[in-house]
């Protein structure tokens, strides 16, 4: 074998080996690219899932906030409506006059009189517009006298220094008690709710 043939065989072997190395490198490069593409797809998929979860969480949070705000607005509207009804009731009660006002005022004085001893000196306060009415009614009671103005819708505040008792029988206190005792029913009727 000649030297040239040996050189040629070595060259052929080197070319063959280079081809193998190149082929292995290309296969390895393809594997690396495929792995990288798979990793990228997984990362993209995870990022999309995270984004979807974040969007859903944000949507739920906004929906919850909107529901809470709507509930607060409804409650505020109810409170305003109840306040309007209360103001209307108070205005109508303040406007009661004539025999009805006398009858109600007399009943409130009678109820308060039960709290005092017969020999007590009793002071009676009432609405300034009712002074004449209260004074006329008090003519029927011994030891009772109109003592001055009390800021109220009507009715009386009755007190005695000797017994240290004070009875608030104003229309306001009656409305307060009725309102408090019946607020649930008033609200149910006003807003058509089942009880």
């Amino acid at each position: 074998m000649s030297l040239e043939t040996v050189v040629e065989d070595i060259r052929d072997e080197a070319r063959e080996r280079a081809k193998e190395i190149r082929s292995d490198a290309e296969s390895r490069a393809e594997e690396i690219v495929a792995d990288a593409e798979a990793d990228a797809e997984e990362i993209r998929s995870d990022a999309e899932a995270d984004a979807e979860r974040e969007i859903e969480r944000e949507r739920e949070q906004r929906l919850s906030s909107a529901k809470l705000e709507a509930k607060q607005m409804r409650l505020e509207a109810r409170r305003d409506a109840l306040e309007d009804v209360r103001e209307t009731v108070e205005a109508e009660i303040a406007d009661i006059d004539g025999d009805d006002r006398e009858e109600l005022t007399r009943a409130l004085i009678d109820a308060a009189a039960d709290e005092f001893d017969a020999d007590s000196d009793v002071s009676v306060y009432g609405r300034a517009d009712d002074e004449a009415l209260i004074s006329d009614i008090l003519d029927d009671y011994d030891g009772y006298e109109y003592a001055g103005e009390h800021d109220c819708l009507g009715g009386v505040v009755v007190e005695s220094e000797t017994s240290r008792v004070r009875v608030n029988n104003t229309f306001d206190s009656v409305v307060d008690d009725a309102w408090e005792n019946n607020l649930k029913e008033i609200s149910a009727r006003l807003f058509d709710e089942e009880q």
Side-chain angles (χ1 to χ4, degrees):
M1 194 183 276
S2 73
L3 185 58
E4 234 175 75
T5 308
V6 171
V7 169
E8 196 53 42
D9 284 345
I10 291 174
R11 279 190 187 148
D12 287 344
E13 256 182 60
R15 281 190 201 110
E16 215 35 57
R17 180 71 185 131
K19 254 190 206 180
E20 263 180 45
I21 290 172
R22 237 188 332 270
S23 177
D24 286 347
E26 285 175 5
S27 292
R28 181 69 186 129
E30 286 174 8
E31 284 177 24
I32 290 171
V33 167
D35 287 348
E37 285 175 352
D39 287 348
E41 180 60 29
E42 186 177 333
I43 289 168
R44 188 188 63 73
S45 179
D46 289 349
E48 282 178 2
D50 288 347
E52 287 296 324
R53 280 192 297 274
E54 181 63 23
I55 288 168
E56 184 61 23
R57 187 190 65 75
E58 183 72 24
R59 189 185 72 75
E60 288 295 325
Q61 189 175 25
R62 286 186 180 177
L63 182 61
S64 178
S65 292
K67 284 180 180 178
L68 180 60
E69 187 176 335
K71 184 177 182 178
Q72 288 172 336
M73 289 172 73
R74 275 193 311 274
L75 287 173
E76 194 171 306
R78 282 178 171 226
R79 201 171 23 252
D80 291 346
L82 285 168
E83 189 175 304
D84 289 347
V85 168
R86 172 90 185 238
E87 288 172 2
T88 301
V89 166
E90 289 175 350
E92 288 183 18
I93 287 174
D95 289 343
I96 294 173
D97 60 0
D99 291 341
D100 290 337
R101 189 169 201 89
E102 181 179 347
E103 185 181 329
L104 290 170
T105 304
R106 187 175 294 279
L108 292 171
I109 292 172
D110 284 344
D114 292 342
E115 303 294 324
F116 299 95
D117 297 329
D119 60 345
S120 296
D121 287 330
V122 179
S123 300
V124 180
Y125 300 87
R127 189 172 88 153
D129 292 349
D130 291 344
E131 180 178 354
L133 171 65
I134 294 170
S135 294
D136 286 347
I137 295 171
L138 293 180
D139 288 343
D140 298 340
Y141 294 85
D142 289 333
Y144 284 66
E145 74 173 56
Y146 183 79
E149 182 181 335
H150 182 78
D151 184 23
C152 61
L153 301 171
V156 292
V157 173
V158 183
E159 63 184 19
S160 169
E161 286 293 322
T162 55
S163 61
R164 295 183 183 235
V165 174
R166 182 172 209 230
V167 178
N168 182 351
N169 272 0
T170 59
F171 293 176
D172 308 68
S173 67
V174 173
V175 169
D176 287 344
D177 289 346
W179 190 263
E180 187 175 315
N181 293 334
N182 297 294
L183 184 59
K184 187 174 182 177
E185 183 180 335
I186 293 166
S187 181
R189 282 187 180 189
L190 190 60
F191 302 110
D192 293 327
E193 296 173 344
E194 295 284 325
Q195 286 197 27

